[in-house]
Amino acid sequence: MKFYGIIGVAIRLMESYLRNRYQRVIINAHNISNGYFSKWKKVQHGVPQVSVLGPLLFLIYINNLSKSVSDKSRPILFADDTSFIIANHDENEVKFKTKEIFNEINKWFHSNILMLNYDKTYFLQFLTKIDNELNIQISFGNRKIATAQSLKFLGLTIDTTLISKHNIGELTSELNKACYAIRLIKPFMSLDVLRSTYFLYAHSFISYGIIF
C-alpha cells in the first residue's frame, strides 16, 4: 500500500507539472507602459523551460531517435545536439544512405510532434587530399539543408579534414589570457594556488578535444 501511495503522489506531481500550463510573449518588457503582452495561450506540448526536470524528460522523449536509424548510421546524442555519422566506400551508397537517414529522421520528428530546425541542420563531408566532394542535395519536402565546410561540434570547430586552424587560434587566445593571469598573481600566491590556476585556465583548454 505504501508503494502504491508513492506512485500516486508521483503521478499527481507529474500531472501538475505538465498540464494546465500557460505562456505568452512579452515585447519590450522593461518598459511596461510601451510593452506588448500577447494573450495567454495553453501549452499543448513540451515542458516549462529552465526547469530541473525538463532536460531529463527531453532525453527520455528522444531516447529512441537514435534507434530509428542506428542500422544505417552511427548516431551521437548529447542533450539536444544530435549528429549522425555515415561511412561507406561506395559513393552511391553514401548518397543513398544520407537521403534515407534524413527521411527517417523527419518521419520520427513528425510522429513525435516535433519539428526539425533546418536553419541549424548541416551536412558536412570529411575528405582526404585525394577525395572529391560528393554532390549531395539533402531535402525533405520543399526544405533543404545546407552543406557546410565547417561547423561547431561540442565546443570544437570541425572542418572537412577534421582539423581546424580556428581551434588553434581560440586555444592560443585562451592560453595567452591564462599566462597573463598566472604572471599577475605569481608574486602573491602559493605554488598550490598557481597550480590550481594553471589546471583551471590552461590545462583544461589544452586537454579538451585533444583527440582531434
Side-chain angles (χ1 to χ4, degrees):
M1 292 299 295
K2 290 182 180 179
F3 186 70
Y4 176 81
I6 291 172
I7 292 203
V9 171
I11 291 175
R12 285 194 294 273
L13 287 174
M14 185 68 71
E15 184 178 12
S16 66
Y17 176 78
L18 295 174
R19 292 187 178 179
N20 297 320
R21 290 274 183 174
Y22 292 82
Q23 67 181 16
R24 65 176 178 175
V25 176
I26 302 176
I27 300 176
N28 199 19
H30 63 278
N31 191 340
I32 299 178
S33 59
N34 295 324
Y36 174 78
F37 301 84
S38 68
K39 294 181 179 179
W40 287 100
K41 292 289 185 179
K42 192 173 184 178
V43 179
Q44 302 291 344
H45 309 289
V47 297
Q49 291 187 345
V50 198
S51 62
V52 176
L53 193 57
L56 176 60
L57 292 176
F58 174 78
L59 292 176
I60 295 173
Y61 194 74
I62 68 167
N63 184 54
N64 66 334
L65 170 60
S66 58
K67 293 181 180 179
S68 64
V69 291
S70 59
D71 59 329
K72 305 178 184 69
S73 66
R74 182 183 175 186
I76 299 176
L77 276 70
F78 184 83
D80 61 345
D81 194 340
T82 305
S83 302
F84 299 92
I85 299 177
I86 307 158
N88 200 289
H89 294 289
D90 190 297
E91 177 181 327
N92 293 324
E93 190 69 16
V94 170
K95 292 181 179 180
F96 175 77
K97 277 192 174 182
T98 301
K99 294 179 180 179
E100 186 181 20
I101 289 168
F102 193 64
N103 288 335
E104 289 295 329
I105 293 170
N106 276 281
K107 290 178 183 177
W108 184 93
F109 270 79
H110 180 74
S111 300
N112 289 274
I113 321 176
L114 294 171
M115 292 183 64
L116 182 67
N117 190 337
Y118 284 81
D119 295 331
K120 294 184 178 180
T121 304
Y122 301 95
F123 176 67
L124 175 66
Q125 297 185 47
F126 298 118
L127 307 170
T128 64
K129 292 181 179 179
I130 61 174
D131 289 331
N132 295 320
E133 185 174 354
L134 301 180
N135 183 21
I136 303 178
Q137 292 291 331
I138 307 172
S139 62
F140 186 81
N142 60 348
R143 299 295 304 273
K144 295 181 180 180
I145 64 171
T147 299
Q149 296 300 314
S150 65
L151 52 80
K152 202 85 169 181
F153 180 72
L154 302 181
L156 293 174
T157 301
I158 302 176
D159 62 14
T160 55
T161 62
L162 276 180
I163 302 171
S164 175
K165 293 181 179 179
H166 180 76
N167 292 321
I168 299 174
E170 286 189 347
L171 180 60
T172 303
S173 176
E174 294 298 332
L175 293 181
N176 283 336
K177 296 176 185 177
C179 289
Y180 176 76
I182 292 173
R183 285 200 306 268
L184 203 64
I185 66 173
K186 183 178 179 181
F188 313 102
M189 298 297 175
S190 65
L191 184 60
D192 288 337
V193 173
L194 293 176
R195 192 193 309 273
S196 298
T197 304
Y198 162 76
F199 278 104
L200 180 62
Y201 292 104
H203 188 81
S204 59
F205 286 95
I206 296 173
S207 58
Y208 180 71
I210 198 170
I211 190 172
F212 283 99

